[in-house]
Amino acid sequence: MPDPIPVPIAPPPGVVKTETGKVAAGRWIDGDKIHFVRGLPQKLGGWTKQTTAATLGQPRASHAWRDNASNQFLAVGTYRKLYAYDSSFGQNDITPFRATGTLGNNPFTTTNGSSIVAVAHNGHGLNPGDTIIFSGATAVGGITPNGTFTVLTVTDANNYKFDFGSNASSGATGGGAAVAFSYEIPVGTELGAYGLGWGVGSWGINQWGNARGSSTIFIEPRVWSLDHFGQILLASYNGGAIYSFDPTASQPWPRAGIVTQAPADCRAMFVTAERFVVALRAGMVIAWCTQGDYTVWTPSAANTANSRTLTVGTKLVAGRVLGPFVSLIWSDAAAYVMQWTGNKYVHDTRLLATECGLIAPGAAVTVNGVAYWMGADNFFTYDGSVHPIANVEDVRKFVFDGLDKTRAPYQCHAVYDPKYNEIYFYYTVAGGANPTNYVIYAINDGCWTPGALTRCSGTHFQQGDTRPYQCDADGNIYLHNNGNDANGAALPWSLTLAPYALNKSLELCEIDGMETDFKDQAGTITFTLATYDRLGDPAPQDSETETVSPGDQLIDWRSSGRYLSLSMSSSDLGSYFRWGVPQAYVKPLGERR
């Protein structure tokens, strides 16, 4: 009997989710909380919570920047609020005000035994759910309605109601003549939805007077565009104006203020390296301010402000800076390049490709002059031409078959991790309310890895510590690549290898143990090994589960077959692994039958 021959277990990098067992033979076919670094799989880094106060609403956009003194700040936008965080992650509400002023004399009316307060304000412009703030009120009906409240109902254009939170002791009208009000910008939509109800759709569809059961009118969730102009934060949400915030102001910080000359119908906004603020407006219109001054938007012979209309698509979605003088702009159907020319038209815009639109404002990143983004049914890159990202077919069907296409595509987003030069594409699965799944694209290795993790947005600083900050649906910000655990709890991981041929001639072999090879293993790893005679066999010939502790070098397992499969997992606190080149020791037993 010949001596056992060491057979290295060295699959190519990446996980294949969309092929048959025969095509995927010898490849990794499933995994969670792992990624590929220099061609080999290892466990993802852990994360720790940085914030103590949760956001009101899901944090669907985030941005990190520094002021001129290198102090670091983060901004987060939800459907209700805009927040700024200082270097200690203290949360500050900088949601812009839509209107401020003083109400008329005695604007409040109470009802005995009720907490509901009626407010008289001609032309208030409010909607249910909007945030209102009062100060300077005097007592009325046994309560003093100063503070922050939410609009409960709108009676008409001149009257509305809110819930004070405690009951009035009498019915009365009052409040005095010095009630100051501040109304925040209108609350947005948290989850995307199709507009249904009476009057939706073309005339004559369905029975008259009945609500529609389906619709092509999509109500987008509110997604902010956040960028910085020097040390100034600029912010805009889809359908709104542009607002500015100066983090060097004394705390408590003032609310973000409207940029009065900027467009008020922005769908998205970004800042170029040449200090142009570019607004993507309704009607497929792009506009930019004069160079170096985001308050000047009206074109004239004395400035470089301008605008133009793009043509391919139904709406503009987002823009990103690609490099000096060059940016990309996406509609829902196409990608455009925008290049600074310096002539009288300032920027040249050119159609790059169609049928490659951006699925959501946050679903694109640019890395070293190359763009990567998620479309409606594929992942794309631009590196001089537009084409699908390398090896995307390994995961494309898996992702887009599972994606919630009817309600949640606008929640998709991408997060770049500079340390590992990889991109996380997060998406919401059918029936979900938030992105709970991801695929990682490893730029260096050109491979993909799936996984499950709830994150609504992410960002990183461009200098110093560039580890990503990612925002969870719980409203908190987490620093990633920080330790091996999930904010103090164990971070389970798993990885599965499809049946792997033990020799090129596919002879029947006897396996005489397996030598492990892990770098910096921490915690135990549960190994399940199985052998198969042929690919496609419904069940293995033999299988065994072993526990491998740090320092263990040999799994003493004897079996026979032509193919070896394995799966690994761990749920230990502090667990970690990096795959090396394990070896199975095999003896050929005969020719293939």
Side-chain angles (χ1 to χ4, degrees):
M1 179 71 68
D3 291 333
I5 300 170
V7 175
I9 309 298
V15 173
V16 177
K17 295 294 292 182
T18 56
E19 300 291 358
T20 66
K22 290 184 177 180
V23 175
R27 298 291 305 274
W28 302 108
I29 57 171
D30 202 9
D32 187 32
K33 307 302 187 303
I34 64 103
H35 60 160
F36 287 82
V37 181
R38 300 189 305 280
L40 299 174
Q42 65 185 52
K43 182 187 173 184
L44 288 181
W47 52 82
T48 54
K49 186 169 72 169
Q50 304 297 294
T51 49
T52 56
T55 60
L56 183 59
Q58 312 300 331
R60 302 216 184 277
S62 53
H63 181 67
W65 82 106
R66 297 177 186 271
D67 66 12
N68 295 337
S70 294
N71 298 306
Q72 64 182 32
F73 307 96
L74 265 78
V76 169
T78 77
Y79 82 109
R80 295 193 64 95
K81 293 286 187 179
L82 179 64
Y83 297 99
Y85 296 84
D86 57 29
S87 56
S88 299
F89 282 92
Q91 186 188 81
N92 299 266
D93 186 347
I94 62 167
T95 308
F97 290 130
R98 178 184 61 81
T100 60
T102 303
L103 297 177
N105 190 37
N106 295 323
F108 301 122
T109 299
T110 61
T111 301
N112 185 26
S114 173
S115 63
I116 307 304
V117 180
V119 185
H121 181 189
N122 290 340
H124 55 72
L126 295 167
N127 295 304
D130 287 352
T131 299
I132 54 178
I133 302 172
F134 298 122
S135 62
T138 59
V140 53
I143 63 173
T144 303
N146 291 318
T148 301
F149 308 99
T150 300
V151 175
L152 184 63
T153 59
V154 173
T155 307
D156 55 38
N158 302 320
N159 297 274
Y160 64 91
K161 296 179 180 180
F162 70 92
D163 190 337
F164 179 72
S166 59
N167 294 339
S169 58
S170 65
T173 296
V179 180
F181 72 89
S182 297
Y183 296 158
E184 290 185 357
I185 55 175
V187 64
T189 300
E190 183 163 27
L191 300 177
Y194 280 91
L196 303 175
W198 188 88
V200 172
S202 302
W203 174 262
I205 297 177
N206 295 358
Q207 186 176 352
W208 187 88
N210 290 344
R212 302 293 187 233
S214 62
S215 171
T216 59
I217 299 175
F218 182 67
I219 303 171
E220 296 174 353
R222 174 165 293 176
V223 179
W224 288 82
S225 297
L226 306 171
D227 209 338
H228 62 281
F229 189 94
Q231 61 187 0
I232 303 297
L233 173 73
L234 296 180
S236 181
Y237 60 86
N238 43 331
I242 297 177
Y243 303 90
S244 64
F245 166 73
D246 185 353
T248 65
S250 299
Q251 291 185 298
W253 278 329
R255 301 295 184 106
I258 191 169
V259 180
T260 56
Q261 300 301 316
D265 61 349
C266 296
R267 292 193 44 77
M269 172 275 308
F270 66 98
V271 180
T272 75
E274 297 75 42
R275 296 174 67 82
F276 288 96
V277 181
V278 182
L280 312 186
R281 303 177 60 184
M284 296 288 291
V285 175
I286 63 170
W288 55 87
C289 69
T290 192
Q291 187 176 18
D293 190 346
Y294 60 83
T295 67
V296 177
W297 290 80
T298 302
S300 76
N303 65 42
T304 50
N306 208 342
S307 66
R308 66 174 53 102
T309 301
L310 305 183
T311 58
V312 181
T314 64
K315 60 184 178 183
L316 297 173
V317 180
R320 297 287 188 276
V321 172
L322 192 65
F325 312 119
V326 181
S327 301
L328 293 188
I329 292 173
W330 290 272
S331 72
D332 56 351
Y336 285 83
V337 65
M338 174 176 157
Q339 186 164 4
W340 186 38
T341 63
N343 63 23
K344 65 178 181 178
Y345 300 110
V346 188
H347 288 98
D348 172 64
T349 50
R350 175 169 50 89
L351 179 66
L352 290 175
T354 60
E355 300 179 3
C356 61
L358 185 61
I359 194 170
V365 297
T366 56
V367 181
N368 297 324
V370 179
Y372 305 85
W373 70 94
M374 184 176 182
D377 60 2
N378 209 342
F379 294 93
F380 298 95
T381 185
Y382 173 73
D383 55 6
S385 65
V386 175
H387 53 87
I389 298 178
N391 299 312
V392 68
E393 292 302 328
D394 288 348
V395 297
R396 184 174 71 89
K397 189 176 186 298
F398 170 76
V399 171
F400 290 98
D401 282 357
L403 172 68
D404 189 326
K405 298 182 179 67
T406 61
R407 196 167 68 99
Y410 236 55
Q411 298 172 1
C412 298
H413 64 278
V415 180
Y416 176 59
D417 184 344
K419 179 177 180 179
Y420 295 107
N421 199 29
E422 60 191 12
I423 305 164
Y424 290 69
F425 290 99
Y426 287 92
Y427 61 99
T428 302
V429 297
N434 290 294
T436 56
N437 288 53
Y438 65 80
V439 285
I440 300 173
Y441 177 64
I443 296 174
N444 295 341
D445 292 312
C447 67
W448 298 82
T449 313
L453 179 63
T454 300
R455 292 292 185 264
C456 294
S457 64
T459 185
H460 70 277
F461 289 100
Q462 295 178 335
Q463 314 91 6
D465 188 347
T466 60
R467 288 177 294 176
Y469 290 89
Q470 299 195 42
C471 302
D472 193 4
D474 66 6
N476 286 293
I477 301 173
Y478 293 82
L479 174 62
H480 281 238
N481 292 335
N482 196 22
N484 295 325
D485 297 314
N487 198 41
L491 179 61
W493 61 269
S494 62
L495 186 60
T496 301
L497 178 67
Y500 190 91
L502 293 172
N503 59 38
K504 293 181 179 180
S505 61
L506 297 181
E507 291 179 298
L508 183 66
C509 297
E510 178 182 287
I511 300 174
D512 192 18
M514 179 175 172
E515 184 181 54
T516 64
D517 184 26
F518 295 115
K519 172 69 173 174
D520 298 329
Q521 179 185 346
T524 60
I525 297 176
T526 300
F527 252 94
T528 298
L529 300 162
T531 53
Y532 294 81
D533 183 47
R534 286 180 171 82
L535 290 175
D537 285 350
Q541 290 189 150
D542 187 19
S543 67
E544 183 171 327
T545 298
E546 299 283 348
T547 299
V548 176
S549 299
D552 290 349
Q553 294 184 345
L554 183 67
I555 298 176
D556 188 12
W557 177 56
R558 286 169 174 79
S559 184
S560 63
R562 292 184 172 86
Y563 300 91
L564 168 69
S565 73
L566 62 88
S567 62
M568 304 177 292
S569 65
S570 178
S571 57
D572 288 356
L573 188 68
S575 70
Y576 177 78
F577 88 102
R578 175 170 168 78
W579 181 266
V581 186
Q583 299 181 110
Y585 288 92
V586 302
K587 299 176 184 176
L589 295 179
E591 297 296 326
R592 181 178 176 87
R593 296 192 299 272

